[in-house]
Amino acid sequence: MSQATAGSAPQRISLSRVLGPAQVWALGVGIVLVGEYTGWNFSADKGGTLAALIVCWVIGLLYTSVAMIDSEVTSTVAAAGGQYAQAKHIVGPLMAFNVALYLVFAYTMLEVSDAILVGDTIVAKAGTEGLTHNAFLAVTIVGLAWLNYRGVLMTLNVNFVITALAYVAIVILFLSVMPWSQGTVLKLGEMVTTDNALPYGWLGVIAAFHFGIWYYLGIEGTTQAAEEVRSPARALPLGTMSGMITLLIGAALTWYVCASLMPWQYLGITYYPLWDAGKLTGSPLLENMMFFATLLSAIASANGCINDAARAWFSLGRDRYLPTWFSAVHPKYRTPYRSILFLLPIALAFAFISDLNQAITFSILSGVLQYTFMSINIMMFRNKWPLGSIRRGYTHPFHPIPAIVLFVLCVITYFAIFLGYGAQLTAMTVFYLVVSLWFHFYRYKYVRRGDQFTMPWPKPKGY
């Protein structure tokens, strides 16, 4: 009888540990690379072409800090949910709940932006009167949700291939315009003159932070794969840091080519800076290559966003922060399939009612809230568990300088967002305040407080 009871006990199905550094790279770079195909260039509209270059470097410093901090904490807290799992163990439940919402909103709205971009790009290429983007964005979201439903390894292998193709296209474009011979194709000296380098002065540079963040937004998404990589301590820092280096090089090449071919007044408003750069070379081959690369970058980004948003939502369900129904893992594909399916209609609804600028702004704001948390999180992590007290897969150097730099740059970015989208900033702040009250006074009573802390760490210093 006892054997029968033991034999009939339900076996808990977990996510599969099948990913390596290449898939981590594909997840991080795949989400971000679309920002170099479109989005970053709106910073030129805010402050001019030179402002776009300055924020490329400064925001690059912000994200290098993010990658360093993330690599250390995630290589220690290796669980699905990434920054949510970090907040749960280091700060507390209320912060963890908010961080998970930041993640879900940032990735879902980025997915929506990607789908809109796919639809708009195809419509622009077709040039057919009356053709709308609705069918294309619906097919993109539903098709990628199905791919994520079928398995994480296949999803990120696809992302690796299409992300690599989109990145190689930038390198080919850069080499094709002979950057070593200014004046032959590129005309940077004519496009960026002393008179128009910073048309709105240094205030324009600060305003450019709003869209400059698009160069690298989402690289921290690599942490969502923490529970599904074979060796978190090795694969996560390697995939994240190599991804950041890849993006820094890609951003520099992109700015140089685009700034040398287009005046800042046009660069700041076009939705297709790299595709337009391909057109301006006069080569049909380069033009078509950049058209397909724009589509691939947007599809790769949406694909990674579905993966990450679903992991954050799944983690909330598993810890009873939301109904446990969301924590189900597919018995065959080992994916958080209910979370994937639940977020699908939400993404479709936003895709049909939002425009690209609003979707990007909501994603950026949720991302900056998350980065602000990370600067506080690493300070508390180092104070509670100093070096040597627990095993770390990676230890980032120069602490606490990256945390301070990250916090200061986040404050500047809030100000930049307020300059252009003050109403959205206020609305999002009120939203997060209301859901925090809901969680504190209603939902937290369902949480099993002892079950949510899963790391075998000693008591923190001072407790």
Side-chain angles (χ1 to χ4, degrees):
M1 182 66 184
S2 61
Q3 287 179 345
T5 302
S8 61
Q11 184 180 3
R12 183 175 178 178
I13 303 171
S14 59
L15 302 175
S16 296
R17 287 192 176 277
V18 293
L19 306 179
Q23 285 81 24
V24 174
W25 179 93
L27 180 59
V29 178
I31 290 175
V32 181
L33 192 61
V34 67
E36 297 181 6
Y37 275 85
T38 186
W40 72 271
N41 56 301
F42 298 139
S43 60
D45 184 48
K46 298 289 184 181
T49 307
L50 189 56
L53 178 63
I54 293 171
V55 296
C56 172
W57 291 336
V58 177
I59 295 293
L61 184 62
L62 181 154
Y63 275 94
T64 302
S65 300
V66 166
M68 292 167 67
I69 291 170
D70 235 10
S71 294
E72 175 172 333
V73 185
T74 307
S75 66
T76 312
V77 187
Q83 291 82 7
Y84 156 76
Q86 299 172 18
K88 185 177 65 174
H89 287 87
I90 298 169
V91 183
L94 183 59
M95 175 59 82
F97 177 73
N98 274 280
V99 168
L101 291 185
Y102 301 158
L103 292 167
V104 172
F105 261 87
Y107 293 125
T108 302
M109 296 309 291
L110 181 51
E111 173 197 347
V112 167
S113 305
D114 295 327
I116 294 173
L117 178 64
V118 169
D120 286 349
T121 305
I122 294 173
V123 170
K125 179 69 172 176
T128 304
E129 188 175 354
L131 183 66
T132 69
H133 66 198
N134 291 343
F136 302 110
L137 63 86
V139 168
T140 301
I141 291 174
V142 174
L144 293 177
W146 173 82
L147 184 62
N148 275 269
Y149 182 97
R150 292 295 301 271
V152 68
L153 183 60
M154 180 173 66
T155 297
L156 295 185
N157 280 338
V158 169
N159 241 39
F160 181 84
V161 173
I162 61 180
T163 301
L165 290 173
Y167 190 81
V168 168
I170 296 176
V171 177
I172 292 175
L173 176 66
F174 177 75
L175 296 176
S176 300
V177 294
M178 294 180 285
W180 53 86
S181 178
Q182 268 285 345
T184 305
V185 179
L186 304 180
K187 298 176 180 176
L188 188 63
E190 297 178 19
M191 297 296 173
V192 187
T193 65
T194 305
D195 293 333
N196 70 9
L198 293 175
Y200 307 119
W202 287 100
L203 183 61
V205 175
I206 293 174
F209 271 67
H210 179 185
F211 288 107
I213 208 167
W214 208 244
Y215 278 113
Y216 314 102
L217 179 68
I219 184 63
E220 74 282 357
T222 54
T223 60
Q224 300 300 318
E227 202 167 310
E228 295 164 276
V229 295
R230 294 188 294 272
S231 174
R234 171 178 173 272
L236 290 171
L238 184 58
T240 304
M241 298 304 289
S242 62
M244 195 62 216
I245 294 169
T246 304
L247 292 167
L248 286 167
I249 295 171
L253 300 184
T254 297
W255 180 90
Y256 188 72
V257 172
C258 292
S260 300
L261 289 172
M262 287 169 262
W264 69 271
Q265 295 93 336
Y266 179 77
L267 179 61
I269 59 172
T270 179
Y271 282 102
Y272 317 104
L274 278 170
W275 184 20
D276 285 342
K279 293 177 185 175
L280 290 169
T281 63
S283 164
L285 180 61
L286 289 175
E287 177 186 342
N288 289 323
M289 180 184 72
M290 298 317 294
F291 163 72
F292 285 112
T294 302
L295 292 181
L296 292 179
S297 69
I299 291 170
S301 180
N303 198 22
C305 286
I306 294 172
N307 178 91
D308 284 1
R311 268 63 183 175
W313 200 256
F314 160 81
S315 300
L316 285 172
R318 188 167 60 180
D319 290 334
R320 297 176 179 271
Y321 286 42
L322 291 175
T324 54
W325 185 82
F326 293 115
S327 65
V329 176
H330 196 286
K332 180 179 180 181
Y333 302 124
R334 309 282 291 274
T335 55
Y337 68 107
R338 287 180 183 168
S339 294
I340 294 171
L341 294 176
F342 177 77
L343 294 173
L344 171 61
I346 295 174
L348 283 171
F350 276 107
F352 282 110
I353 64 175
S354 302
D355 66 29
L356 188 56
N357 276 342
Q358 286 182 331
I360 288 175
T361 299
F362 281 130
S363 180
I364 288 174
L365 181 57
S366 296
V368 176
L369 286 168
Q370 182 196 152
Y371 304 147
T372 308
F373 146 75
M374 290 174 66
S375 62
I376 299 168
N377 186 51
I378 185 64
M379 300 289 275
M380 295 182 68
F381 182 56
R382 284 288 185 102
N383 288 336
K384 289 183 174 181
W385 291 278
L387 297 182
S389 61
I390 57 175
R391 181 179 177 275
R392 288 166 161 82
Y394 169 83
T395 303
H396 85 268
F398 313 123
H399 180 78
I401 295 174
I404 295 171
V405 169
L406 180 58
F407 186 83
V408 171
L409 293 178
C410 285
V411 172
I412 296 172
T413 308
Y414 284 126
F415 182 66
I417 295 173
F418 179 77
L419 290 176
Y421 290 84
Q424 285 89 340
L425 178 61
T426 304
M428 289 287 282
T429 304
V430 171
F431 168 76
Y432 284 120
L433 179 62
V434 170
V435 294
S436 295
L437 293 172
W438 172 82
F439 177 76
H440 178 75
F441 289 106
Y442 175 73
R443 186 65 210 178
Y444 190 56
K445 64 187 177 187
Y446 295 101
V447 176
R448 293 176 181 170
R449 302 179 187 184
D451 292 347
Q452 57 185 319
F453 301 104
T454 55
M455 299 306 297
W457 293 347
K459 284 188 177 180
K461 183 181 177 182
Y463 284 77

